[in-house]
Amino acid sequence: MPANRLRTLPATALAALLAVVAGCSTATPTAEAAGQPRSGGTLTWAVETEPVTLNPHQYAQAKARLLVWNTFESLLTYDQQGKLVPWLATGWTVTPDGLSYTLTLRDRVTFSDGTPFDSAAVKANIDKLREPGYAPAVAAVQLRNLKAVEAVDPRTVRLVLSAPDVLILDFLASPQGAQVSPTSLRQAKNLKAGGIDVVGTGPFVLDRYVPGQELHYRRNASYDWAPPTATHTGPAHLDGITYRFLKESAVRVGALTSNQVQIIEGVPATDQPLVTGNRTLRLNRELNSGSAYSYYFNTSHAPFDDLRVRQAFREAVDVDTVLKSVYRDTATRAWSVISPSSPLYDKRLEGGYSGDTAKANTLLDQAGWAARDADGYRVKAGKRLTVRLVQSAPFVRDRRDVLAQAVQAAVKQSAGIDLKVSLVDQGTATDAFQRNEYEVFDNSRADTDAGAALNLLLHSLGGINRTQVNDPRIDKLLETGQATADPTKRAGIYADLQQQVVAEQALLLPLYAPADQIAASTSVGGVRFEPTAGVPASAYDLWIGK
């Protein structure tokens, strides 16, 4: 009997409601010049972003997912139809009240350091995630309703909840839910940062990390437990793979066209003709799931504590024009906090705001920002209407720094708003957020279920609630959505939530739906995106043609 047949009807229903439709891929993996899959060889992949951590429990960058899954694996994963399927687990059951999940685990799986994978390892990982100070955002959001984890026997683990939580299965399929060797949990020199001494069960082993330059992975020769979403079984095709950190897109594309690297990710519109015009290269694109890239307004102090100012900022930006100037015609406009690739997306928001300069100026006049200084900026009581966008460099992708400059120019010209943009290191950004010295926070998340992203971004206890909104109505909608198993009812709850935070309270300005691009030599086979998340998949299925 297939392993996934072990699931009961309630678990199947939960898997269905968590399904996310994979977004808008413009190409599908084909053998092309690579021929049939074969083993051997190494290749180099240039990536846009260096990870801030190599520990999956600390994961926060969508651009790091392709690295996470090289070394680490989760209990569950999603298939191409957006359904949850077993990975390190073989199946699961859930009690009718939704308060207990029992998972059976694969046998004969080992971590790359020789530690056996079993229920004790799963319990050690979850207990670590709940340890104070280790992963507070995960403990407060994804594991908020977890009461206990029990190792029933070596091949069985049970999660006991304090309240129904349909997102617990999504957590078990996420990078934060990936399994780290208990030996690493105990002995790693810098567990939070990760590195070569933080190991998993994956098809590759990290054996070299040169900060600021590259990561190198070698094949795990003992690997034989690929997920059902993979295109083959057994060890990876490649002997090894190097990831080079090349932040500038022109440098990445230049390295590809000169054959210094064989594959890259992050190809903006300005550089795509260099790929599509080269017969030895191919370009694939796909929308990410989760939340859209948006500007979130800090409502805890002036000027965005005033709804009229938040609305005016949104109307001062002609989003379509700004996106076209930065991304040409390759960006997908966002109208909601949720990506349009999600089944929870509310299409009723489309066309509801932005680009009305007259309305923006009327709103600011009404809010008391009627006067202007010599530079054309609005002032009130002698103070300029200034708002600060603090961008953390490790999280800047897709030319978002250039996009910020375009928005900066738009709000000045349209409404006399002074948008100050600071691109800083992660420590400086974190300090600014902790000191509440910002008015705009930019963010997108590639969570497979948008509900997980919104819990982090909008709940009063959310780990990255930079709007600082504390609204019982919003919290109630988020909590109800997390506890509701019926897909139709759940979609209605999140539609109400989107109407509340986007249409009524104007807590954010949605800009675009993030997408990933992979450009590769046609000699590289197995290039694909991670199901549902829409981000580049790991190197497991890659091969090099003859």
Side-chain angles (χ1 to χ4, degrees):
M1 182 174 66
N4 62 351
R5 292 281 299 277
L6 293 173
R7 291 173 288 172
T8 62
L9 180 60
T12 305
L14 288 174
L17 71 89
L18 287 169
V20 179
V21 179
C24 304
S25 176
T26 61
T28 56
T30 58
E32 298 182 352
Q36 294 302 310
R38 71 185 192 96
S39 296
T42 63
L43 60 75
T44 303
W45 184 328
V47 295
E48 180 178 11
T49 305
E50 182 173 2
V52 296
T53 173
L54 296 169
N55 180 336
H57 294 165
Q58 309 294 322
Y59 162 83
Q61 297 163 289
K63 289 284 191 177
R65 286 178 75 106
L66 77 165
L67 304 174
V68 167
W69 298 129
N70 278 341
T71 304
F72 303 97
E73 300 178 303
S74 56
L75 299 179
L76 309 176
T77 190
Y78 286 91
D79 66 13
Q80 294 290 349
Q81 288 71 48
K83 300 295 195 308
L84 281 161
V85 293
W87 190 352
L88 291 181
T90 59
W92 69 90
T93 60
V94 54
T95 55
D97 61 6
L99 295 178
S100 179
Y101 289 78
T102 300
L103 297 99
T104 52
L105 308 178
R106 282 181 182 255
D107 198 5
R108 295 187 294 277
V109 174
T110 58
F111 293 94
S112 60
D113 62 3
T115 303
F117 167 75
D118 54 18
S119 61
V122 175
K123 178 174 169 53
N125 273 263
I126 297 178
D127 285 346
K128 187 66 180 181
L129 284 162
R130 301 173 74 195
E131 185 178 291
Y134 176 65
V138 176
V141 179
Q142 286 99 322
L143 299 180
R144 178 173 59 207
N145 294 316
L146 181 64
K147 183 178 179 181
V149 55
E150 303 169 354
V152 178
D153 61 47
R155 304 262 67 83
T156 309
V157 65
R158 180 179 297 122
L159 306 182
V160 181
L161 308 182
S162 58
D165 185 346
V166 300
L167 290 178
I168 194 69
L169 292 179
D170 182 73
F171 162 74
L172 295 176
S174 71
Q176 292 95 337
Q179 297 298 295
V180 175
S181 167
T183 302
S184 294
L185 295 178
R186 294 191 305 268
Q187 300 179 5
K189 294 178 181 178
N190 190 341
L191 179 59
K192 282 191 174 184
I196 60 176
D197 60 348
V198 179
V199 306
T201 61
F204 290 94
V205 177
L206 176 66
D207 60 5
R208 185 173 74 249
Y209 173 35
V210 183
Q213 297 183 35
E214 65 183 30
L215 292 165
H216 181 268
Y217 295 85
R218 60 173 172 81
R219 177 167 55 191
N220 179 357
S222 301
Y223 185 78
D224 193 24
W225 40 88
T229 55
T231 61
H232 77 290
T233 59
H237 297 306
L238 296 173
D239 291 329
I241 182 168
T242 298
Y243 293 88
R244 291 179 58 192
F245 309 130
L246 299 180
K247 181 173 178 56
E248 298 299 326
S249 62
V251 176
R252 290 194 303 278
V253 173
L256 178 65
T257 57
S258 62
N259 203 34
Q260 297 177 57
V261 304
Q262 294 75 51
I263 184 169
I264 66 174
E265 58 83 26
V267 188
T270 52
D271 294 320
Q272 288 180 12
L274 296 173
V275 177
T276 57
N278 189 326
R279 297 182 62 184
T280 68
L281 304 175
R282 68 174 182 272
L283 177 70
N284 290 7
R285 310 180 188 90
E286 190 156 332
L287 287 183
N288 297 167
S289 62
S291 61
Y293 178 67
S294 305
Y295 282 2
Y296 294 81
F297 304 131
N298 183 353
T299 64
S300 70
H301 59 242
F304 287 139
D305 57 346
D306 190 325
L307 172 63
R308 295 167 297 185
V309 180
R310 301 197 297 272
Q311 293 172 327
F313 189 100
R314 296 202 313 191
E315 296 297 344
V317 183
D318 184 336
V319 175
D320 288 322
T321 298
V322 167
L323 292 179
K324 187 172 184 179
S325 70
V326 177
Y327 303 109
R328 297 183 181 176
D329 293 317
T330 63
T332 299
R333 168 75 185 270
W335 290 97
S336 177
V337 63
I338 293 178
S339 171
S341 66
S342 169
L344 300 177
Y345 175 70
D346 186 357
K347 289 180 63 68
R348 294 176 299 168
L349 291 166
E350 295 181 1
Y353 58 88
S354 97
D356 190 333
T357 299
K359 184 175 181 180
N361 284 283
T362 297
L363 286 165
L364 291 176
D365 288 344
Q366 293 172 352
W369 296 93
R372 293 184 184 248
D373 62 18
D375 295 320
Y377 293 111
R378 288 180 175 267
V379 295
K380 180 168 67 173
K383 183 178 181 180
R384 178 180 286 186
L385 180 51
T386 298
V387 295
R388 296 163 293 179
L389 167 62
V390 180
Q391 293 186 304
S392 179
F395 294 90
V396 173
R397 53 173 284 194
D398 303 342
R399 305 184 79 214
R400 290 175 179 178
D401 50 343
V402 179
L403 177 59
Q405 295 170 17
V407 174
Q408 180 184 54
V411 297
K412 176 184 179 181
Q413 180 177 354
S414 298
I417 299 172
D418 181 20
L419 173 62
K420 299 290 190 185
V421 181
S422 300
L423 180 61
V424 300
D425 61 80
Q426 185 184 15
T428 302
T430 300
D431 186 61
F433 297 143
Q434 291 176 343
R435 292 175 179 271
N436 204 21
E437 295 175 348
Y438 69 98
E439 286 72 42
V440 184
F441 169 67
D442 66 326
N443 184 267
S444 67
R445 291 187 59 85
D447 299 271
T448 46
D449 189 290
L454 301 190
N455 280 347
L456 285 164
L457 289 160
L458 296 171
H459 195 281
S460 60
L461 299 177
I464 50 175
N465 177 6
R466 306 294 189 203
T467 65
Q468 301 197 48
V469 65
N470 188 352
D471 189 327
R473 294 170 297 175
I474 293 175
D475 284 357
K476 182 64 175 178
L477 287 168
L478 288 168
E479 292 162 7
T480 304
Q482 188 170 356
T484 300
D486 181 85
T488 301
K489 291 181 179 178
R490 189 167 186 256
I493 292 166
Y494 284 103
D496 290 345
L497 175 69
Q498 291 167 81
Q499 290 292 322
Q500 182 69 228
V501 302
V502 180
E504 296 181 28
Q505 296 195 38
L507 296 178
L508 65 148
L509 168 62
L511 291 168
Y512 72 93
D516 270 291
Q517 311 86 27
I518 305 176
S521 166
T522 53
S523 65
V524 178
V527 176
R528 66 187 185 92
F529 292 91
E530 185 183 330
T532 72
V535 298
S538 76
Y540 175 66
D541 283 323
L542 295 180
W543 78 87
I544 304 173
K546 294 182 179 179

